[in-house]
Amino acid sequence: VIWMTQSPSLLSASTGDRVTISCRMSQGISSYLAWYQQKPGKAPELLIYAASTLQSGVPSRFSGSGSGTDFTLTISCLQSEDFATYYCQQYYSFPWTFGQGTKVEIK
Amino acid sequence: EVQLLESGGGLVQPGGSLRLSCAASGFTFSSYAMSWVRQAPGKGLEWVSAISGSGGSTYYADSVKGRFTISRDNSKNTLYLQMNSLRAEDTAVYYCAKVYPHCSGGSCWDYWGQGTLVTVSS
């Protein structure tokens, strides 16, 4: 099983801030990583796949980077609609696993 | 427009059974692998099970192996999850999700249903 450490678990920020979320793997996964956004009471939405490829329709203020064991999701200029919980997910090997989640809240 | 609509959730006693369904529309169902992902109340996401487009290959998380069975009926565009020997720790919202083919080599999911709540309690 590939264990994932996502940090921070809670991030307080203001509209316009640049925020960074980290996801670290227990072993290398090349670039087989996705990021999702989830709002309360809603299903997750795919933001980024292959570590850095933006899903169609996702605003360009979202970006992903990293390979191997260390990955980052960056939101360059936080908007009100970005306050949500974010999850990383590895699809390098079974079982597919998720990070614990990062809740981005209004400061 | 892709739509996934889960049903079948509810309250069940420990040791009981439940079958979830996911009706798919808006895409060629048989061409895509599908998964079930769950989320316990206030907790994170957990992948549960996956099935290939043909239904010939299935995969399970260790936490449900031997108790849950994933299947599909491509003639009805429907995905199923048969859940037996349910435990309190199976309480969660269960989502069906469509595999995104660009996540080659593995699975990520580009469309999700709205989820159905399964509560295991006496």
Side-chain angles (χ1 to χ4, degrees):
Chain A
V1 179
I2 296 177
W3 300 105
M4 306 171 69
T5 303
Q6 189 175 337
S7 61
S9 56
L10 178 64
L11 195 160
S12 299
S14 301
T15 303
D17 285 352
R18 177 185 179 91
V19 300
T20 300
I21 298 169
S22 171
C23 193
R24 176 164 288 179
M25 309 296 135
S26 60
Q27 65 186 77
I29 62 165
S30 184
S31 295
Y32 294 98
L33 187 95
W35 289 96
Y36 299 85
Q37 177 193 68
Q38 187 180 32
K39 296 181 179 179
K42 300 294 187 181
E45 294 185 3
L46 179 64
L47 296 176
I48 287 168
Y49 63 96
S52 61
T53 304
L54 208 61
Q55 171 66 340
S56 175
V58 174
S60 59
R61 62 181 179 272
F62 290 91
S63 64
S65 64
S67 67
T69 59
D70 292 321
F71 300 85
T72 300
L73 173 70
T74 300
I75 310 173
S76 60
C77 182
L78 203 61
Q79 301 298 301
S80 57
E81 60 267 31
D82 302 335
F83 291 98
T85 300
Y86 294 85
Y87 295 92
C88 54
Q89 177 239 332
Q90 66 81 20
Y91 52 96
Y92 179 78
S93 69
F94 278 114
W96 315 136
T97 46
F98 292 88
Q100 302 93 322
T102 295
K103 183 178 180 181
V104 178
E105 67 169 20
I106 301 173
K107 182 186 284 186
Chain B
E1 179 192 7
V2 171
Q3 290 194 344
L4 299 170
L5 185 62
E6 302 96 338
S7 61
L11 175 64
V12 61
Q13 292 188 338
S17 298
L18 214 54
R19 188 177 85 154
L20 306 184
S21 300
C22 172
S25 61
F27 64 103
T28 305
F29 182 66
S30 61
S31 294
Y32 293 90
M34 299 289 293
S35 281
W36 289 96
V37 177
R38 68 184 180 184
Q39 187 169 37
K43 302 298 184 182
L45 300 166
E46 179 188 17
W47 169 77
V48 172
S49 183
I51 188 168
S52 62
S54 67
S57 297
T58 58
Y59 309 88
Y60 299 93
D62 284 346
S63 57
V64 306
K65 199 173 295 182
R67 299 187 300 122
F68 290 11
T69 301
I70 191 171
S71 62
R72 63 192 298 159
D73 186 337
N74 286 343
S75 69
K76 295 182 178 179
N77 289 348
T78 302
L79 176 72
Y80 302 100
L81 186 67
Q82 177 67 43
M83 304 186 296
N84 298 331
S85 303
L86 283 161
R87 307 166 179 166
E89 54 265 35
D90 296 319
T91 295
V93 173
Y94 285 75
Y95 296 100
C96 66
K98 170 186 165 293
V99 166
Y100 189 43
H102 290 286
C103 292
S104 56
S107 288
C108 68
W109 304 280
D110 57 347
Y111 288 95
W112 299 60
Q114 86 290 349
T116 187
L117 177 62
V118 173
T119 303
V120 184
S121 175
S122 55

